[in-house]
Each structure stands twice: as C-alpha cells, then as structure tokens.
Amino acid sequence: MQVERLFEIVFILLHKEKVTAKWLAEKFEVSTRTIYRDLDTLSSAGIPIYTNKGNGGGISILEGFKLEKTFLSEAEQNDILFGLQCLEATGYTERSQALNKLGQLFRREDYNWLQVDFTPWGDQGNVENNFNVLRHSIIHRQVVTFEYYSGMGEKTKRCIWPYRLVFKGKAWYVEGYCLLRKAIRLFKLTRIRQIEQREEGFQIEVLEEKRKEVKEQPETKPEGNLISIRLWVSKTLAYRIYDEFEVEQVKLLEDGNFQVDLDYIEYPEDDWLYHYLLSFGKEIEVKSPESVRIKLKENIQAILQFYNEAGALQK
C-alpha cells in the first residue's frame, strides 16, 4: 500500500502548487509522521520535494520535474503499468484509477495496449463479491467466515485467516489458515457462500509461522485412487483437445482423430472423473484401463435407466 501512496503523493504534487502534510494525512487516513516518512523516501529516490514551514508554507515539488527521467526507467514503467493492468482485471476499481493516473504521470499514451480478463463467461457476481471481501480482509488482516461446499456437495462453516488470493487452473482461490481444520487450505471462490468479514483481526506474523509449520493441503483437491488413462477422442472435438490438455498428452492419429494419454497425477478415479468423461458424449472412448471402461458404462446405463423410469412415470 505504501508504494501506491507514494505514487499518489507524487501525482498530487505534480498537479498542485503546494499542499500541507495535514491535508495529505487526512486524504490517505494516516498520521502526519507517516507522510513525512513518505516524503523522506521520495527524496531519497531522487524526487526533488521541498517543505516550507510557517504561514503560507507547505509541501511542493520542483517545477518542471518529470518523473520518468529521474525515478523509473522505461522498462520499469512498463512493468508497473503491466502489473496494474493485471490487477485491474480482478475488478479492483482503485487499480484502474491508479493505472490512468500513472499513465498520465509517465506521459504515456500507450498504456492501454493490453487487456487482461480473468473472469469466466457467464454470471459470476458471487465470485466478484467474494473476491472483493477477501481482498479487503487480506489487506486489513481481518478474520473471514463463510459457508463452503466441497466437491462432493458437503457444506461446512469455515472461519479463516486469509493470506492471499490465487488464480490457478482457470479459477480463483483464497489461501488461508482454516480454524476448523487447523491447517493451511485453498478454498475455491465459486464454492463460497454467505461470506462475512469479521471485526476481529489476526497477526500476519502468526499466520506466516503456521504456513511454515503446516503442509499445504488444497481444500478442492479431488480424492481417490490415482490412475493413468488412454482415450480416443473424435476430431470433431479438436477445440476441446487443445483447450483442456497439454500438447505432450495428445497424439494426432492418421485418420485425424486423437489419442490422449492422461497423467495419473491429475486424474483421480472418482465421480468427478466420470462426470468429466461423460461431458464428451459419444465422441470419446476409454481405451484403458478396463476398470474405467466398465465403470463408465455403468454410469451410462444408470443414466439411461433413470430416463426410462422417469419417462414411465410421466405416462
């Protein structure tokens, strides 16, 4: 937060003739002592800041000073703007404002060359709300409670010390210390409901120690026996092949169809696996192992039986 405040102070000084430490302290909701420390930091970085005491005094910056010539190289400017563009994609509106201000501050007109969007297609209002609550709780080190639904549909009440937000595998997670499990866990934001930021806080030093002591066990990892699978996939699903599998896992056959070999590390043998395979419809065939072929057919037969019985009841 200090870095963002420093940039904001420089931006204000470049656009105002003079301000007071008290005015800056009230704007950023910090003490005047903190503002003076920020000014010392900026001066040490080569920013020509002047302070005049007494009636009509205040804080000012050398007229004609240009930030990009003495503070940051062009490459460093690009890195900062790129980072803010990535943060803007999370929906953090303050970062969008900072991005516009820094673009002006650096006298840059090309800072919108990239758009990063982490949000999936469809309505994800619940995820956005969860993200914003967790972001605020992480920054202010406040406890969070919520209802959490596991991959098997089990609902539990959780209370965590949130540490950081993680984007992995096309989804957002929050990493934190779970008071229920007494362990560091990852929680998928789409499975979080009734989130609430509590008034009580926690010490980041204690959380850091727990992260060192407790082995991370992702809350969303499917359980089951890990196996290797070989699939035949129709060429009509080529778009899914290259979206969902690594190039090294895919072999193009002479007839244009595909052979896919899945690493056992990523594909546990449980209901999640069979639901995933069924999503390919008739355009996929399990070649091995035989146990998966048999269980997949059992799932198909169960679905067929369900629809036959439902149809009979409707008659």
Side-chain angles (χ1 to χ4, degrees):
M1 297 298 291
Q2 183 190 20
V3 174
E4 186 175 329
R5 187 171 64 247
L6 291 176
F7 278 119
E8 182 78 7
I9 290 173
V10 175
F11 182 84
I12 290 172
L13 294 178
L14 285 174
H15 290 79
K16 290 180 178 290
E17 290 186 3
K18 194 178 297 183
V19 296
T20 65
K22 181 181 179 182
W23 184 87
L24 289 172
E26 291 176 350
K27 175 176 176 58
F28 295 107
E29 299 181 348
V30 297
S31 66
T32 54
R33 180 178 298 180
T34 297
I35 292 298
Y36 281 120
R37 282 201 299 265
D38 289 344
L39 296 176
D40 288 339
T41 299
L42 292 171
S43 295
S44 299
I47 309 297
I49 293 175
Y50 295 90
T51 58
N52 295 315
K53 297 182 179 180
N55 187 27
I59 303 164
S60 59
I61 198 168
L62 182 65
E63 186 177 356
F65 170 75
K66 291 186 178 180
L67 180 62
E68 73 272 16
K69 289 186 177 180
T70 60
F71 191 40
L72 295 169
S73 68
E74 183 176 352
E76 290 170 330
Q77 293 175 36
N78 289 335
D79 288 342
I80 291 173
L81 293 173
F82 174 73
L84 287 172
Q85 284 164 330
C86 291
L87 287 172
E88 183 185 19
T90 66
Y92 189 8
T93 56
E94 289 86 345
R95 289 303 192 273
S96 179
Q97 297 169 7
L99 179 61
N100 291 332
K101 289 179 179 179
L102 284 178
Q104 298 173 37
L105 196 60
F106 295 152
R107 274 74 169 178
R108 300 288 295 273
E109 297 180 355
D110 59 346
Y111 63 90
N112 280 323
W113 65 273
L114 174 71
Q115 180 180 354
V116 182
D117 190 350
F118 291 125
T119 59
W121 299 106
D123 183 14
Q124 291 290 322
N126 180 62
V127 173
E128 182 178 356
N129 177 68
N130 292 342
F131 183 96
N132 289 330
V133 172
L134 289 165
R135 172 185 59 79
H136 189 272
S137 300
I138 291 169
I139 292 173
H140 296 280
R141 299 172 187 174
Q142 290 179 281
V143 176
V144 173
T145 61
F146 51 81
E147 293 178 354
Y148 191 71
Y149 291 82
S150 71
M152 303 301 293
E154 177 189 7
K155 183 178 76 171
T156 53
K157 185 72 174 180
R158 300 302 180 99
C159 181
I160 71 167
W161 299 351
Y163 179 70
R164 62 182 174 184
L165 287 157
V166 180
F167 186 80
K168 183 176 179 62
K170 302 179 182 180
W172 281 105
Y173 298 83
V174 59
E175 176 188 337
Y177 181 74
C178 177
L179 299 181
L180 176 65
R181 304 300 189 206
K182 306 297 182 185
I184 299 295
R185 293 294 176 92
L186 284 175
F187 298 91
K188 197 170 184 179
L189 265 60
T190 54
R191 297 179 181 176
I192 291 177
R193 297 291 187 275
Q194 304 297 324
I195 191 168
E196 180 182 351
Q197 179 179 293
R198 307 293 293 273
E199 292 185 1
E200 62 262 36
F202 61 90
Q203 294 183 339
I204 189 64
E205 295 80 8
V206 177
L207 179 54
E208 290 283 5
E209 285 299 318
K210 291 186 179 296
R211 293 185 72 250
K212 294 177 183 178
E213 296 172 2
V214 184
K215 183 179 180 181
E216 182 177 320
Q217 299 178 0
E219 186 72 20
T220 55
K221 181 179 179 181
E223 298 178 355
N225 298 318
L226 302 181
I227 55 177
S228 296
I229 304 175
R230 172 165 290 181
L231 303 172
W232 171 91
V233 184
S234 168
K235 56 188 176 183
T236 60
L237 293 183
Y239 68 95
R240 287 193 63 177
I241 291 293
Y242 293 111
D243 277 349
E244 301 177 29
F245 305 115
E246 299 294 335
V247 174
E248 294 78 10
Q249 296 175 318
V250 179
K251 178 182 178 181
L252 180 62
L253 303 176
E254 292 183 358
D255 59 3
N257 296 313
F258 300 92
Q259 175 180 298
V260 180
D261 291 295
L262 306 180
D263 189 346
Y264 68 92
I265 294 176
E266 299 182 8
Y267 293 87
E269 187 180 10
D270 64 0
D271 287 341
W272 173 88
L273 170 63
Y274 296 102
H275 294 162
Y276 177 72
L277 293 175
L278 286 169
S279 72
F280 287 85
K282 63 182 180 60
E283 308 301 329
I284 193 173
E285 179 186 356
V286 176
K287 292 294 186 179
S288 65
E290 185 63 23
S291 61
V292 175
R293 287 177 59 90
I294 293 173
K295 192 165 183 178
L296 184 61
K297 287 193 291 185
E298 290 175 352
N299 275 268
I300 295 171
Q301 291 169 354
I303 293 172
L304 181 61
Q305 181 179 353
F306 171 80
Y307 276 99
N308 286 337
E309 291 175 353
L313 290 175
Q314 291 177 358
K315 294 178 182 179

